[in-house]
Amino acid sequence: MLGLKLPTDPRWVNIVEKNVDEILTDHAYCEQKAASTAISLIIGYPDKKELVHEMSLLAQEEMSHFKMVHDRITARGGHLGRERKDLYVNKLMKFFPKGGSRSDQLVHRLLYAALIEARSCERFRLLSEELEDQDLAKFYRNLMESEAGHYTMFLSFARNYGDRQEVDKKWQDLLDYEAEIMRDLGKEETVHG
């Protein structure tokens, strides 16, 4: 369903289990960044009524996810650590050329967001199936379903705002590029790394 060309190596879960506090901190920041992306799309494209409506709902949902993750951190006796660079997102964002028409920029941003959500969904599925901590596994199962909805929403918006054939070609090219990025990742206790 997600269309990812390279699945995450299941051994990544072993890294996560040894560093749960680290992944929770990384995950909290991912939720905060997702909310920021939604707000940024509202600011950049206020004329797109349906997008503005959905992004306002998404920003609220992502911040509620941030709170849920933060609550888990504090319940474990920890605190929100410092944000780390997201190598995955930094590499991913180099795929489409800078500039271009406003419409192209919107489609590119939506495709990036769709792919980030798809990878998060795939990672959360792995966590929900493989973590020994059943409470945490259930937590990630619930979030996985949410991420899947976000992925399809972003991809649908990209297809609505751009030429469908062109958007689908860009999507496939981006998926190929992402698979190459993932060959070097999956060795850290981060949501995408």
Side-chain angles (χ1 to χ4, degrees), residues 37-91:
T37 295
I39 293 167
S40 173
L41 285 166
I42 292 169
I43 293 167
Y45 301 91
D47 55 315
K48 308 284 188 198
K49 289 181 186 175
E50 187 180 1
L51 182 69
V52 169
H53 173 74
E54 292 300 322
M55 291 303 105
S56 65
L57 296 174
L58 182 64
Q60 292 174 28
E61 182 181 352
E62 298 290 16
M63 284 311 295
S64 76
H65 291 173
F66 171 86
K67 183 179 181 327
M68 289 165 51
V69 178
H70 185 256
D71 288 349
R72 285 208 168 255
I73 292 168
T74 56
R76 293 172 59 86
H79 64 278
L80 184 63
R82 296 188 63 76
E83 179 185 10
R84 291 194 239 165
K85 289 182 181 175
D86 191 328
L87 294 176
Y88 170 82
V89 171
N90 289 342
K91 288 181 180 188

Side-chain angles (χ1 to χ4, degrees), residues 164-178:
R164 173 66 186 258
Q165 208 169 2
E166 189 178 308
V167 169
D168 285 348
K169 169 81 170 89
K170 287 180 177 186
W171 176 244
Q172 289 306 312
D173 292 345
L174 183 59
L175 286 168
D176 290 338
Y177 177 75
E178 194 258 4

Side-chain angles (χ1 to χ4, degrees), residues 1-3 114-115 117-118 147-156 171:
M1 175 196 132
L2 297 171
L115 188 48
E117 296 285 352
E147 301 298 304
H150 300 165
Y151 146 72
T152 57
M153 176 186 63
F154 280 119
L155 189 54
S156 179
W171 176 244

Side-chain angles (χ1 to χ4, degrees), residues 102-124:
R102 186 169 180 264
S103 176
D104 281 347
Q105 289 176 21
L106 174 57
V107 166
H108 296 166
R109 290 180 69 185
L110 292 167
L111 290 177
Y112 283 141
L115 188 48
I116 292 165
E117 296 285 352
R119 182 56 73 181
S120 298
C121 179
E122 187 250 5
R123 289 280 174 101
F124 291 173

